[in-house]
Amino acid sequence: MNKPLLFIAMLIIGVSCVGTKSTLKNVDDTAPNLMLSNENTFVIANYSTDKKYGYDADYPINIFYYNTLNDTANQQRFLNALAGPKGEKISFVKLESCCPFPTKRTDLGAGFLDVYELKWTGQKKPIKLYLNIYEKGILMVPVGLTLKKK
């Protein structure tokens, strides 16, 4: 089977598994629009106290910003604003897309979460964060991380 047909088949299977009710717990369409800093990162003013925020697929970091045409730019704008627990420089890599859910912000009616792995010097075990480019929410620093110093 050639690659385009395989991709279409996988997409159909993934979308068919999406229920009609979203399991995402922290979507907030009334959240303020995200702002960009001079460093082209998102401006983040709040720290989460919920240990599930970003670390659990049902509580992803919702980074909808105007459109989703360039999903990696918005994810990088968020991740580049973060630092390790003591201000360490972080590195990150996208591991996978997972966890289909229903959304009105795509033509297909479904979205996927992106899973990123974050590392920094002195860290014992990399962490994984779930990012959602399709929905809005209050943007916060996940527990255990800090904001990058300017």
PDB file of all heavy atoms in Angstrom, residues 51-80:
ATOM      1  N   LYS A  51      -1.363  19.521  39.389  1.00  0.00           N
ATOM      2  CA  LYS A  51      -0.298  18.634  38.911  1.00  0.00           C
ATOM      3  C   LYS A  51      -0.657  17.899  37.622  1.00  0.00           C
ATOM      4  O   LYS A  51       0.208  17.343  36.970  1.00  0.00           O
ATOM      5  CB  LYS A  51       0.084  17.635  40.005  1.00  0.00           C
ATOM      6  CG  LYS A  51       0.761  18.299  41.176  1.00  0.00           C
ATOM      7  CD  LYS A  51       1.175  17.303  42.228  1.00  0.00           C
ATOM      8  CE  LYS A  51       1.851  18.024  43.374  1.00  0.00           C
ATOM      9  NZ  LYS A  51       2.279  17.138  44.427  1.00  0.00           N
ATOM     10  N   LYS A  52      -1.935  17.902  37.250  1.00  0.00           N
ATOM     11  CA  LYS A  52      -2.351  17.258  36.005  1.00  0.00           C
ATOM     12  C   LYS A  52      -2.187  18.178  34.793  1.00  0.00           C
ATOM     13  O   LYS A  52      -2.099  17.700  33.671  1.00  0.00           O
ATOM     14  CB  LYS A  52      -3.823  16.828  36.097  1.00  0.00           C
ATOM     15  CG  LYS A  52      -4.065  15.715  37.073  1.00  0.00           C
ATOM     16  CD  LYS A  52      -5.530  15.326  37.070  1.00  0.00           C
ATOM     17  CE  LYS A  52      -5.820  14.228  38.058  1.00  0.00           C
ATOM     18  NZ  LYS A  52      -7.241  13.866  38.056  1.00  0.00           N
ATOM     19  N   TYR A  53      -2.158  19.502  35.014  1.00  0.00           N
ATOM     20  CA  TYR A  53      -2.101  20.466  33.923  1.00  0.00           C
ATOM     21  C   TYR A  53      -0.872  20.234  33.041  1.00  0.00           C
ATOM     22  O   TYR A  53       0.262  20.358  33.491  1.00  0.00           O
ATOM     23  CB  TYR A  53      -2.083  21.894  34.475  1.00  0.00           C
ATOM     24  CG  TYR A  53      -1.976  22.955  33.406  1.00  0.00           C
ATOM     25  CD1 TYR A  53      -3.076  23.316  32.639  1.00  0.00           C
ATOM     26  CD2 TYR A  53      -0.775  23.593  33.149  1.00  0.00           C
ATOM     27  CE1 TYR A  53      -2.982  24.289  31.651  1.00  0.00           C
ATOM     28  CE2 TYR A  53      -0.665  24.564  32.173  1.00  0.00           C
ATOM     29  CZ  TYR A  53      -1.766  24.904  31.425  1.00  0.00           C
ATOM     30  OH  TYR A  53      -1.659  25.857  30.438  1.00  0.00           O
ATOM     31  N   GLY A  54      -1.138  19.835  31.808  1.00  0.00           N
ATOM     32  CA  GLY A  54      -0.074  19.575  30.849  1.00  0.00           C
ATOM     33  C   GLY A  54       0.494  18.168  30.909  1.00  0.00           C
ATOM     34  O   GLY A  54       1.014  17.669  29.920  1.00  0.00           O
ATOM     35  N   TYR A  55       0.395  17.510  32.056  1.00  0.00           N
ATOM     36  CA  TYR A  55       0.973  16.180  32.238  1.00  0.00           C
ATOM     37  C   TYR A  55      -0.025  15.054  31.984  1.00  0.00           C
ATOM     38  O   TYR A  55       0.359  13.892  31.927  1.00  0.00           O
ATOM     39  CB  TYR A  55       1.531  16.024  33.663  1.00  0.00           C
ATOM     40  CG  TYR A  55       2.687  16.948  33.960  1.00  0.00           C
ATOM     41  CD1 TYR A  55       2.490  18.135  34.667  1.00  0.00           C
ATOM     42  CD2 TYR A  55       3.972  16.642  33.534  1.00  0.00           C
ATOM     43  CE1 TYR A  55       3.553  18.986  34.944  1.00  0.00           C
ATOM     44  CE2 TYR A  55       5.043  17.490  33.805  1.00  0.00           C
ATOM     45  CZ  TYR A  55       4.823  18.654  34.506  1.00  0.00           C
ATOM     46  OH  TYR A  55       5.876  19.494  34.776  1.00  0.00           O
ATOM     47  N   ASP A  56      -1.290  15.380  31.861  1.00  0.00           N
ATOM     48  CA  ASP A  56      -2.363  14.402  31.678  1.00  0.00           C
ATOM     49  C   ASP A  56      -3.103  14.747  30.387  1.00  0.00           C
ATOM     50  O   ASP A  56      -3.410  15.922  30.148  1.00  0.00           O
ATOM     51  CB  ASP A  56      -3.306  14.485  32.886  1.00  0.00           C
ATOM     52  CG  ASP A  56      -4.413  13.451  32.873  1.00  0.00           C
ATOM     53  OD1 ASP A  56      -5.181  13.415  31.881  1.00  0.00           O
ATOM     54  OD2 ASP A  56      -4.541  12.709  33.854  1.00  0.00           O
ATOM     55  N   ALA A  57      -3.415  13.752  29.586  1.00  0.00           N
ATOM     56  CA  ALA A  57      -4.081  13.985  28.300  1.00  0.00           C
ATOM     57  C   ALA A  57      -5.445  14.648  28.457  1.00  0.00           C
ATOM     58  O   ALA A  57      -5.909  15.332  27.541  1.00  0.00           O
ATOM     59  CB  ALA A  57      -4.219  12.674  27.531  1.00  0.00           C
ATOM     60  N   ASP A  58      -6.095  14.487  29.586  1.00  0.00           N
ATOM     61  CA  ASP A  58      -7.388  15.141  29.812  1.00  0.00           C
ATOM     62  C   ASP A  58      -7.229  16.600  30.253  1.00  0.00           C
ATOM     63  O   ASP A  58      -8.211  17.339  30.310  1.00  0.00           O
ATOM     64  CB  ASP A  58      -8.202  14.385  30.861  1.00  0.00           C
ATOM     65  CG  ASP A  58      -8.767  13.075  30.318  1.00  0.00           C
ATOM     66  OD1 ASP A  58      -8.898  12.946  29.087  1.00  0.00           O
ATOM     67  OD2 ASP A  58      -9.067  12.183  31.129  1.00  0.00           O
ATOM     68  N   TYR A  59      -6.021  17.022  30.589  1.00  0.00           N
ATOM     69  CA  TYR A  59      -5.736  18.389  31.035  1.00  0.00           C
ATOM     70  C   TYR A  59      -4.570  18.977  30.223  1.00  0.00           C
ATOM     71  O   TYR A  59      -3.557  19.397  30.780  1.00  0.00           O
ATOM     72  CB  TYR A  59      -5.380  18.405  32.522  1.00  0.00           C
ATOM     73  CG  TYR A  59      -6.490  17.961  33.419  1.00  0.00           C
ATOM     74  CD1 TYR A  59      -6.687  16.613  33.705  1.00  0.00           C
ATOM     75  CD2 TYR A  59      -7.373  18.884  33.976  1.00  0.00           C
ATOM     76  CE1 TYR A  59      -7.726  16.191  34.519  1.00  0.00           C
ATOM     77  CE2 TYR A  59      -8.409  18.478  34.796  1.00  0.00           C
ATOM     78  CZ  TYR A  59      -8.580  17.135  35.058  1.00  0.00           C
ATOM     79  OH  TYR A  59      -9.615  16.733  35.866  1.00  0.00           O
ATOM     80  N   PRO A  60      -4.711  19.013  28.894  1.00  0.00           N
ATOM     81  CA  PRO A  60      -3.596  19.497  28.076  1.00  0.00           C
ATOM     82  C   PRO A  60      -3.421  21.011  28.191  1.00  0.00           C
ATOM     83  O   PRO A  60      -4.293  21.724  28.697  1.00  0.00           O
ATOM     84  CB  PRO A  60      -4.026  19.117  26.653  1.00  0.00           C
ATOM     85  CG  PRO A  60      -5.516  19.217  26.705  1.00  0.00           C
ATOM     86  CD  PRO A  60      -5.884  18.693  28.079  1.00  0.00           C
ATOM     87  N   ILE A  61      -2.301  21.481  27.696  1.00  0.00           N
ATOM     88  CA  ILE A  61      -2.043  22.917  27.617  1.00  0.00           C
ATOM     89  C   ILE A  61      -2.675  23.393  26.316  1.00  0.00           C
ATOM     90  O   ILE A  61      -2.249  22.989  25.228  1.00  0.00           O
ATOM     91  CB  ILE A  61      -0.535  23.189  27.661  1.00  0.00           C
ATOM     92  CG1 ILE A  61       0.029  22.668  28.982  1.00  0.00           C
ATOM     93  CG2 ILE A  61      -0.248  24.674  27.455  1.00  0.00           C
ATOM     94  CD1 ILE A  61       1.509  22.439  28.982  1.00  0.00           C
ATOM     95  N   ASN A  62      -3.711  24.194  26.430  1.00  0.00           N
ATOM     96  CA  ASN A  62      -4.477  24.651  25.260  1.00  0.00           C
ATOM     97  C   ASN A  62      -3.866  25.936  24.725  1.00  0.00           C
ATOM     98  O   ASN A  62      -3.969  26.985  25.359  1.00  0.00           O
ATOM     99  CB  ASN A  62      -5.943  24.865  25.653  1.00  0.00           C
ATOM    100  CG  ASN A  62      -6.573  23.578  26.125  1.00  0.00           C
ATOM    101  OD1 ASN A  62      -6.509  22.552  25.462  1.00  0.00           O
ATOM    102  ND2 ASN A  62      -7.172  23.623  27.305  1.00  0.00           N
ATOM    103  N   ILE A  63      -3.243  25.854  23.551  1.00  0.00           N
ATOM    104  CA  ILE A  63      -2.513  26.998  23.005  1.00  0.00           C
ATOM    105  C   ILE A  63      -3.091  27.482  21.680  1.00  0.00           C
ATOM    106  O   ILE A  63      -2.360  27.921  20.805  1.00  0.00           O
ATOM    107  CB  ILE A  63      -1.009  26.686  22.850  1.00  0.00           C
ATOM    108  CG1 ILE A  63      -0.791  25.453  21.973  1.00  0.00           C
ATOM    109  CG2 ILE A  63      -0.348  26.521  24.187  1.00  0.00           C
ATOM    110  CD1 ILE A  63       0.652  25.236  21.572  1.00  0.00           C
ATOM    111  N   PHE A  64      -4.401  27.440  21.545  1.00  0.00           N
ATOM    112  CA  PHE A  64      -5.011  27.962  20.325  1.00  0.00           C
ATOM    113  C   PHE A  64      -4.645  29.441  20.198  1.00  0.00           C
ATOM    114  O   PHE A  64      -4.843  30.227  21.114  1.00  0.00           O
ATOM    115  CB  PHE A  64      -6.532  27.811  20.373  1.00  0.00           C
ATOM    116  CG  PHE A  64      -7.203  28.380  19.152  1.00  0.00           C
ATOM    117  CD1 PHE A  64      -7.192  27.695  17.962  1.00  0.00           C
ATOM    118  CD2 PHE A  64      -7.836  29.611  19.205  1.00  0.00           C
ATOM    119  CE1 PHE A  64      -7.804  28.211  16.836  1.00  0.00           C
ATOM    120  CE2 PHE A  64      -8.453  30.145  18.090  1.00  0.00           C
ATOM    121  CZ  PHE A  64      -8.436  29.449  16.899  1.00  0.00           C
ATOM    122  N   TYR A  65      -4.104  29.803  19.037  1.00  0.00           N
ATOM    123  CA  TYR A  65      -3.673  31.181  18.804  1.00  0.00           C
ATOM    124  C   TYR A  65      -4.033  31.572  17.384  1.00  0.00           C
ATOM    125  O   TYR A  65      -3.313  31.248  16.448  1.00  0.00           O
ATOM    126  CB  TYR A  65      -2.168  31.306  19.039  1.00  0.00           C
ATOM    127  CG  TYR A  65      -1.608  32.675  18.804  1.00  0.00           C
ATOM    128  CD1 TYR A  65      -1.892  33.714  19.670  1.00  0.00           C
ATOM    129  CD2 TYR A  65      -0.788  32.938  17.718  1.00  0.00           C
ATOM    130  CE1 TYR A  65      -1.371  34.974  19.473  1.00  0.00           C
ATOM    131  CE2 TYR A  65      -0.259  34.187  17.511  1.00  0.00           C
ATOM    132  CZ  TYR A  65      -0.549  35.207  18.392  1.00  0.00           C
ATOM    133  OH  TYR A  65      -0.036  36.459  18.188  1.00  0.00           O
ATOM    134  N   TYR A  66      -5.158  32.224  17.217  1.00  0.00           N
ATOM    135  CA  TYR A  66      -5.667  32.723  15.938  1.00  0.00           C
ATOM    136  C   TYR A  66      -5.983  31.630  14.932  1.00  0.00           C
ATOM    137  O   TYR A  66      -7.076  31.543  14.433  1.00  0.00           O
ATOM    138  CB  TYR A  66      -4.747  33.763  15.314  1.00  0.00           C
ATOM    139  CG  TYR A  66      -4.633  35.005  16.133  1.00  0.00           C
ATOM    140  CD1 TYR A  66      -3.398  35.454  16.570  1.00  0.00           C
ATOM    141  CD2 TYR A  66      -5.761  35.717  16.499  1.00  0.00           C
ATOM    142  CE1 TYR A  66      -3.294  36.597  17.341  1.00  0.00           C
ATOM    143  CE2 TYR A  66      -5.668  36.863  17.275  1.00  0.00           C
ATOM    144  CZ  TYR A  66      -4.431  37.305  17.686  1.00  0.00           C
ATOM    145  OH  TYR A  66      -4.329  38.421  18.446  1.00  0.00           O
ATOM    146  N   ASN A  67      -5.025  30.800  14.598  1.00  0.00           N
ATOM    147  CA  ASN A  67      -5.292  29.702  13.676  1.00  0.00           C
ATOM    148  C   ASN A  67      -4.336  28.563  13.968  1.00  0.00           C
ATOM    149  O   ASN A  67      -3.410  28.712  14.745  1.00  0.00           O
ATOM    150  CB  ASN A  67      -5.163  30.156  12.212  1.00  0.00           C
ATOM    151  CG  ASN A  67      -3.744  30.506  11.834  1.00  0.00           C
ATOM    152  OD1 ASN A  67      -2.842  29.698  11.981  1.00  0.00           O
ATOM    153  ND2 ASN A  67      -3.532  31.715  11.337  1.00  0.00           N
ATOM    154  N   THR A  68      -4.580  27.457  13.328  1.00  0.00           N
ATOM    155  CA  THR A  68      -3.741  26.278  13.559  1.00  0.00           C
ATOM    156  C   THR A  68      -2.976  25.883  12.301  1.00  0.00           C
ATOM    157  O   THR A  68      -2.574  24.744  12.145  1.00  0.00           O
ATOM    158  CB  THR A  68      -4.606  25.086  14.028  1.00  0.00           C
ATOM    159  OG1 THR A  68      -5.606  24.853  13.031  1.00  0.00           O
ATOM    160  CG2 THR A  68      -5.242  25.366  15.361  1.00  0.00           C
ATOM    161  N   LEU A  69      -2.793  26.835  11.389  1.00  0.00           N
ATOM    162  CA  LEU A  69      -2.102  26.518  10.142  1.00  0.00           C
ATOM    163  C   LEU A  69      -0.642  26.140  10.366  1.00  0.00           C
ATOM    164  O   LEU A  69      -0.085  25.352   9.635  1.00  0.00           O
ATOM    165  CB  LEU A  69      -2.201  27.686   9.161  1.00  0.00           C
ATOM    166  CG  LEU A  69      -3.620  28.005   8.690  1.00  0.00           C
ATOM    167  CD1 LEU A  69      -3.610  29.204   7.763  1.00  0.00           C
ATOM    168  CD2 LEU A  69      -4.246  26.798   7.999  1.00  0.00           C
ATOM    169  N   ASN A  70      -0.005  26.726  11.371  1.00  0.00           N
ATOM    170  CA  ASN A  70       1.376  26.374  11.678  1.00  0.00           C
ATOM    171  C   ASN A  70       1.434  25.930  13.132  1.00  0.00           C
ATOM    172  O   ASN A  70       1.800  26.702  14.017  1.00  0.00           O
ATOM    173  CB  ASN A  70       2.306  27.560  11.417  1.00  0.00           C
ATOM    174  CG  ASN A  70       3.760  27.151  11.533  1.00  0.00           C
ATOM    175  OD1 ASN A  70       4.081  26.077  12.049  1.00  0.00           O
ATOM    176  ND2 ASN A  70       4.651  27.986  11.052  1.00  0.00           N
ATOM    177  N   ASP A  71       1.050  24.696  13.361  1.00  0.00           N
ATOM    178  CA  ASP A  71       0.945  24.183  14.723  1.00  0.00           C
ATOM    179  C   ASP A  71       2.267  24.198  15.478  1.00  0.00           C
ATOM    180  O   ASP A  71       2.309  24.493  16.657  1.00  0.00           O
ATOM    181  CB  ASP A  71       0.337  22.789  14.733  1.00  0.00           C
ATOM    182  CG  ASP A  71       1.131  21.774  13.930  1.00  0.00           C
ATOM    183  OD1 ASP A  71       1.983  22.176  13.123  1.00  0.00           O
ATOM    184  OD2 ASP A  71       0.885  20.576  14.109  1.00  0.00           O
ATOM    185  N   THR A  72       3.361  23.910  14.822  1.00  0.00           N
ATOM    186  CA  THR A  72       4.626  23.852  15.548  1.00  0.00           C
ATOM    187  C   THR A  72       5.082  25.228  15.995  1.00  0.00           C
ATOM    188  O   THR A  72       5.733  25.353  17.028  1.00  0.00           O
ATOM    189  CB  THR A  72       5.733  23.169  14.718  1.00  0.00           C
ATOM    190  OG1 THR A  72       5.900  23.883  13.489  1.00  0.00           O
ATOM    191  CG2 THR A  72       5.385  21.726  14.431  1.00  0.00           C
ATOM    192  N   ALA A  73       4.736  26.290  15.262  1.00  0.00           N
ATOM    193  CA  ALA A  73       5.128  27.646  15.680  1.00  0.00           C
ATOM    194  C   ALA A  73       4.486  27.977  17.017  1.00  0.00           C
ATOM    195  O   ALA A  73       5.146  28.526  17.911  1.00  0.00           O
ATOM    196  CB  ALA A  73       4.723  28.672  14.623  1.00  0.00           C
ATOM    197  N   ASN A  74       3.214  27.664  17.182  1.00  0.00           N
ATOM    198  CA  ASN A  74       2.534  27.970  18.439  1.00  0.00           C
ATOM    199  C   ASN A  74       3.058  27.120  19.583  1.00  0.00           C
ATOM    200  O   ASN A  74       3.188  27.601  20.708  1.00  0.00           O
ATOM    201  CB  ASN A  74       1.027  27.802  18.278  1.00  0.00           C
ATOM    202  CG  ASN A  74       0.444  28.856  17.370  1.00  0.00           C
ATOM    203  OD1 ASN A  74       1.024  29.912  17.166  1.00  0.00           O
ATOM    204  ND2 ASN A  74      -0.706  28.573  16.804  1.00  0.00           N
ATOM    205  N   GLN A  75       3.373  25.886  19.319  1.00  0.00           N
ATOM    206  CA  GLN A  75       3.940  25.034  20.358  1.00  0.00           C
ATOM    207  C   GLN A  75       5.313  25.546  20.775  1.00  0.00           C
ATOM    208  O   GLN A  75       5.635  25.586  21.958  1.00  0.00           O
ATOM    209  CB  GLN A  75       3.993  23.588  19.871  1.00  0.00           C
ATOM    210  CG  GLN A  75       2.601  23.011  19.689  1.00  0.00           C
ATOM    211  CD  GLN A  75       2.591  21.703  18.929  1.00  0.00           C
ATOM    212  OE1 GLN A  75       3.517  21.355  18.227  1.00  0.00           O
ATOM    213  NE2 GLN A  75       1.497  20.968  19.073  1.00  0.00           N
ATOM    214  N   GLN A  76       6.114  25.957  19.810  1.00  0.00           N
ATOM    215  CA  GLN A  76       7.433  26.498  20.121  1.00  0.00           C
ATOM    216  C   GLN A  76       7.324  27.814  20.883  1.00  0.00           C
ATOM    217  O   GLN A  76       8.121  28.083  21.777  1.00  0.00           O
ATOM    218  CB  GLN A  76       8.249  26.677  18.844  1.00  0.00           C
ATOM    219  CG  GLN A  76       8.659  25.364  18.236  1.00  0.00           C
ATOM    220  CD  GLN A  76       9.307  25.524  16.875  1.00  0.00           C
ATOM    221  OE1 GLN A  76       9.480  26.617  16.362  1.00  0.00           O
ATOM    222  NE2 GLN A  76       9.666  24.396  16.263  1.00  0.00           N
ATOM    223  N   ARG A  77       6.332  28.633  20.556  1.00  0.00           N
ATOM    224  CA  ARG A  77       6.128  29.895  21.277  1.00  0.00           C
ATOM    225  C   ARG A  77       5.844  29.629  22.754  1.00  0.00           C
ATOM    226  O   ARG A  77       6.256  30.398  23.618  1.00  0.00           O
ATOM    227  CB  ARG A  77       4.974  30.680  20.655  1.00  0.00           C
ATOM    228  CG  ARG A  77       5.315  31.274  19.323  1.00  0.00           C
ATOM    229  CD  ARG A  77       4.086  31.849  18.664  1.00  0.00           C
ATOM    230  NE  ARG A  77       4.453  32.530  17.432  1.00  0.00           N
ATOM    231  CZ  ARG A  77       3.644  32.696  16.416  1.00  0.00           C
ATOM    232  NH1 ARG A  77       2.390  32.236  16.464  1.00  0.00           N
ATOM    233  NH2 ARG A  77       4.043  33.328  15.346  1.00  0.00           N
ATOM    234  N   PHE A  78       5.136  28.570  23.043  1.00  0.00           N
ATOM    235  CA  PHE A  78       4.870  28.211  24.438  1.00  0.00           C
ATOM    236  C   PHE A  78       6.118  27.612  25.085  1.00  0.00           C
ATOM    237  O   PHE A  78       6.571  28.080  26.139  1.00  0.00           O
ATOM    238  CB  PHE A  78       3.701  27.230  24.541  1.00  0.00           C
ATOM    239  CG  PHE A  78       3.501  26.711  25.931  1.00  0.00           C
ATOM    240  CD1 PHE A  78       2.950  27.518  26.909  1.00  0.00           C
ATOM    241  CD2 PHE A  78       3.897  25.436  26.273  1.00  0.00           C
ATOM    242  CE1 PHE A  78       2.794  27.060  28.218  1.00  0.00           C
ATOM    243  CE2 PHE A  78       3.749  24.960  27.561  1.00  0.00           C
ATOM    244  CZ  PHE A  78       3.194  25.778  28.533  1.00  0.00           C
ATOM    245  N   LEU A  79       6.673  26.574  24.480  1.00  0.00           N
ATOM    246  CA  LEU A  79       7.790  25.854  25.090  1.00  0.00           C
ATOM    247  C   LEU A  79       9.028  26.729  25.244  1.00  0.00           C
ATOM    248  O   LEU A  79       9.772  26.584  26.218  1.00  0.00           O
ATOM    249  CB  LEU A  79       8.100  24.597  24.274  1.00  0.00           C
ATOM    250  CG  LEU A  79       6.994  23.541  24.289  1.00  0.00           C
ATOM    251  CD1 LEU A  79       7.267  22.462  23.246  1.00  0.00           C
ATOM    252  CD2 LEU A  79       6.820  22.941  25.661  1.00  0.00           C
ATOM    253  N   ASN A  80       9.267  27.650  24.308  1.00  0.00           N
ATOM    254  CA  ASN A  80      10.432  28.535  24.409  1.00  0.00           C
ATOM    255  C   ASN A  80      10.296  29.566  25.524  1.00  0.00           C
ATOM    256  O   ASN A  80      11.269  30.236  25.862  1.00  0.00           O
ATOM    257  CB  ASN A  80      10.690  29.234  23.072  1.00  0.00           C
ATOM    258  CG  ASN A  80      11.346  28.314  22.070  1.00  0.00           C
ATOM    259  OD1 ASN A  80      12.078  27.397  22.426  1.00  0.00           O
ATOM    260  ND2 ASN A  80      11.077  28.539  20.799  1.00  0.00           N
TER     261      ASN A  80
END
